[in-house]
Amino acid sequence: MRLFTPSLLLLLLGLIPVVGQAATGLEAMTVETAEGGGQTYSLSIQILLFMTALSLLPGALLMMTSFARIIIVLAILRQAMGTQNTPSNQLLVGLALFLTIFIMMPVFNQVYETSLKPYLEEKITTVQALESAQLPMREFMLGQTRESDLSLFARIGNFGEVESPDQVPFSMLLPAFATSELKTGFQIGFLLFIPFLVIDLVVASVLMSMGMMMLSPLIISLPFKIMLFVLVDGWALVFGTLAASFRV
């Protein structure tokens, strides 16, 4: 302990200048008024806002894109086929993620051209970039949202009568869009579930008529469901239907 005590004291004394420099670095966190009347932020605040946006990125990916509908349909499809954990959760999430990127690419390109690119070229401010990025996302979300869901959240939130889509508040659009995506995802999943349910019923009836009540129908119906899904090129049909269900 006697040997470590001087070393700890030297270490603490060595950290004092570093702490002092960190304290003086906080003065860079200022907001200045630009020549055109807007506001510019210091580099430290921009990094702080960027890190905050990264922490919110998973939630935005789930609730503001086509990811929720796709993962719901794929999960119901796996349940209908009865393949347990095949494909695995990681594989389903990967498929949903790349299909989301494919579907949302026109929106992402528009966000880049109207918001990110001018901001990186220092042609617009941070606030203007955020406002420009909101427009393509709003247009996409409004195209997938039902009017009944918008009316529901307008009534719950006491937003009053909304005359045009441009006047829909983003705080009302986001839950309405999520509700519509859940409803559409379950509707598509229900339609996918019916053929596999018919196969299960037919196999169960045949086994019952043959007196093989101790044999699980799932063991017999699983190969038939996989064969049917492969013969009709099921993955291509599912992905094509999901991509066509979005109005981009």
Side-chain angles (χ1 to χ4, degrees):
M1 293 296 295
R2 293 180 179 178
L3 294 176
F4 285 121
T5 302
S7 300
L8 292 175
L9 291 176
L10 291 175
L11 181 60
L12 292 175
L13 291 175
L15 289 176
I16 291 178
V18 178
V19 175
Q21 292 177 3
T24 56
L26 294 177
E27 297 178 358
M29 299 177 63
T30 57
V31 180
E32 299 178 355
T33 303
E35 297 179 356
Q39 292 180 340
T40 58
Y41 300 91
S42 65
L43 182 61
S44 299
I45 292 182
Q46 292 179 2
I47 294 177
L48 178 62
L49 293 176
F50 178 72
M51 297 303 294
T52 304
L54 286 181
S55 63
L56 299 176
L57 185 60
L61 177 64
L62 292 175
M63 306 309 300
M64 297 175 60
T65 63
S66 58
F67 183 86
R69 182 190 304 185
I70 296 171
I71 195 65
I72 288 173
V73 172
L74 294 181
I76 294 178
L77 175 62
R78 184 179 65 179
Q79 184 71 23
M81 294 181 64
T83 54
Q84 301 299 326
N85 294 324
T86 304
S88 63
N89 293 331
Q90 293 83 354
L91 184 57
L92 286 185
V93 172
L95 290 173
L97 179 61
F98 284 109
L99 189 57
T100 299
I101 295 175
F102 172 77
I103 294 172
M104 298 292 297
M105 188 55 66
V107 181
F108 292 157
N109 289 334
Q110 190 174 358
V111 171
Y112 175 78
E113 293 294 335
T114 60
S115 176
L116 184 58
K117 184 178 179 180
Y119 176 74
L120 294 177
E121 295 176 354
E122 298 183 354
K123 295 181 179 180
I124 58 177
T125 62
T126 305
V127 177
Q128 292 175 343
L130 293 176
E131 293 177 352
S132 300
Q134 183 180 354
L135 296 178
M137 296 301 300
R138 172 187 288 272
E139 183 179 356
F140 169 79
M141 295 169 67
L142 282 173
Q144 322 304 323
T145 306
R146 293 178 173 83
E147 295 183 1
S148 59
D149 295 326
L150 287 174
S151 302
L152 171 64
F153 286 97
R155 184 175 66 255
I156 295 175
N158 295 324
F159 286 99
E161 190 70 23
V162 180
E163 297 180 357
S164 63
D166 297 335
Q167 297 179 357
V168 176
F170 202 77
S171 58
M172 184 181 75
L173 176 60
L174 184 57
F177 171 76
T179 304
S180 296
E181 287 296 288
L182 290 174
K183 187 182 300 183
T184 305
F186 276 98
Q187 288 177 349
I188 299 176
F190 170 76
L191 296 177
L192 289 175
F193 210 106
I194 292 178
F196 300 106
L197 180 61
V198 171
I199 295 177
D200 288 333
L201 292 176
V202 171
V203 172
S205 300
V206 172
L207 292 178
M208 185 70 67
S209 63
M210 296 175 61
M212 305 174 64
M213 294 177 293
M214 300 301 295
L215 182 62
S216 176
L218 295 178
I219 300 177
I220 307 300
S221 63
L222 179 58
F224 290 99
K225 290 190 288 187
I226 294 178
M227 181 182 64
L228 174 64
F229 192 73
V230 172
L231 289 177
V232 300
D233 199 6
W235 289 114
L237 290 176
V238 170
F239 290 157
T241 303
L242 284 173
S245 65
F246 291 94
R247 296 183 294 271
V248 181

